Amino acid sequence: MTTPAYKRVLLKLSGEALMGDDPYGINRATIERMVADVSEVAKLGVELAIVIGGGNIFRGVAPGAQGMDRATADYMGMLATVMNSLALADAMRQVGITARVMSAIAIEQVVEPYVRPKALQYLEEGKIVIFAAGTGNPFFTTDTAAALRGSEIGAEIVLKATKVDGVYSADPNKDPDATRYATITFDEAISKHLQVMDATAFALCRDQKLPIKVFSIVKPGALKRVVLGEDEGTLVHV
Ligand SMILES: Nc1ncnc2c1ncn2[C@@H]1O[C@H](COP(=O)(O)OP(=O)(O)O)[C@@H](O)[C@H]1O
Ligand SMILES: O=c1ccn([C@@H]2O[C@H](COP(=O)(O)OP(=O)(O)O)[C@@H](O)[C@H]2O)c(=O)[nH]1
């Protein structure tokens, strides 16, 4: 089966996963592998928009940010996502994929600003759009940015590629007895305080009836399996 289950998706890539086994920063082999996964899916004809996090860079500067004003630290985090977006777009360029980076905060000499109709146009042209700088607001996360942009562009689903292979009854990195859900409702995920995504992102997707698939960013072929509608990860639904 090679028919994709979706026409347009919003892919959220973990920033933290970009560092691979390094203590922080962008691991070359890791970003190349992510691009290879994305490329496979793009070849299926799926329109792809991407939101990438910033945890890999921000973790590196975090010791110096201790005691910092929260909003200022968050702006630094947003700038980290801009760096990751540029690195991702360039890694795509190197393998012949056309990507456009659009930023939620104005830094016009570096990347073009986010303009919704322009983003829609790029997607229709088959280009990959990378949304940088999260929502552009402090006190939010890139997961919420994924929910927001996913809603704006009319994506059929938000695909959260992260370090775990789905939503568990508790944080699997802390609780060895945690069990994975095949599917879970937004209300359940919110009421059980499952931390795999923040409540703002869950609530926005719930209100917009935009399902989320949580799956592993490290498992080979997982993204393609998800896009083909195969049994992979956890579906969060209304
Ligand atoms: N109930 C849960 N199910 C799955 N993962 C969970 C859960 N609770 C907490 N987590 C943690 O959430 C992490 C993923 O969320 P997050 O830190 O936002 O990652 P990302 O870098 O993808 O944005 C996982 O690595 C896992 O340790
Ligand atoms: O709309 C947003 C998106 C991100 N951030 C900041 O950017 C950081 C990096 O994003 P995130 O932690 O979501 O990335 P990931 O977990 O994927 O590495 C966050 O911690 C926030 O400090 C923010 O302030 N507003």
Side-chain angles (χ1 to χ4, degrees):
M1 190 177 89
T2 50
T3 313
Y6 314 101
K7 191 175 178 306
R8 180 176 289 174
V9 302
L10 188 301
L11 173 64
K12 158 74 206 308
L13 294 173
S14 161
E16 236 172 82
L18 257 190
M19 61 192 187
D21 292 328
D22 299 342
Y24 58 87
I26 301 171
N27 178 276
R28 196 68 225 163
T30 304
I31 197 169
E32 281 171 3
R33 204 181 34 72
M34 280 184 196
V35 168
D37 286 350
V38 167
S39 162
E40 256 196 295
V41 168
K43 278 189 203 131
L44 296 172
V46 181
E47 292 178 4
L48 260 174
I50 299 178
V51 168
I52 187 158
N56 57 318
I57 293 172
F58 201 63
R59 234 170 99 158
V61 297
Q66 265 185 24
M68 224 172 147
D69 168 54
R70 165 76 193 266
T72 305
D74 279 349
Y75 280 113
M76 290 172 70
M78 284 184 256
L79 291 175
T81 73
V82 176
M83 289 198 236
N84 282 338
S85 299
L86 289 173
L88 186 64
D90 194 74
M92 287 180 175
R93 182 189 58 79
Q94 291 184 31
V95 297
I97 300 174
T98 308
R100 293 280 184 267
V101 181
M102 303 186 114
S103 173
I105 48 179
I107 27 173
E108 280 153 53
Q109 284 79 2
V110 186
V111 281
E112 65 178 296
Y114 169 64
V115 177
R116 180 172 171 266
K118 197 83 185 279
L120 293 172
Q121 182 198 321
Y122 287 148
L123 289 171
E124 281 155 16
E125 290 167 357
K127 298 185 175 87
I128 292 180
V129 180
I130 304 173
F131 296 122
T135 65
N137 302 292
F139 307 105
F140 288 92
T141 63
T142 48
D143 282 346
T144 300
L148 174 65
R149 296 291 185 243
S151 302
E152 287 189 78
I153 64 166
E156 286 151 273
I157 191 163
V158 168
L159 308 178
K160 173 166 164 118
T162 186
K163 290 151 282 178
V164 288
D165 63 354
V167 182
Y168 282 75
S169 53
D171 186 344
N173 287 326
K174 293 181 187 151
D175 184 349
D177 296 327
T179 52
R180 190 169 63 82
Y181 297 97
T183 66
I184 186 170
T185 63
F186 286 112
D187 285 338
E188 236 185 310
I190 294 169
S191 68
K192 291 195 163 111
H193 302 284
L194 301 179
Q195 304 289 324
V196 65
M197 245 169 142
D198 58 279
T200 313
F202 275 141
L204 182 53
C205 284
R206 179 190 60 191
D207 295 350
Q208 296 308 315
K209 299 183 175 53
L210 175 61
I212 303 171
K213 193 84 183 247
V214 179
F215 63 101
S216 168
I217 198 167
V218 286
K219 186 173 163 189
L223 174 63
K224 190 173 180 187
R225 284 171 52 76
V226 165
V227 168
L228 289 175
E230 291 171 16
D231 180 24
E232 186 69 53
T234 300
L235 180 72
V236 191
H237 60 96
V238 184

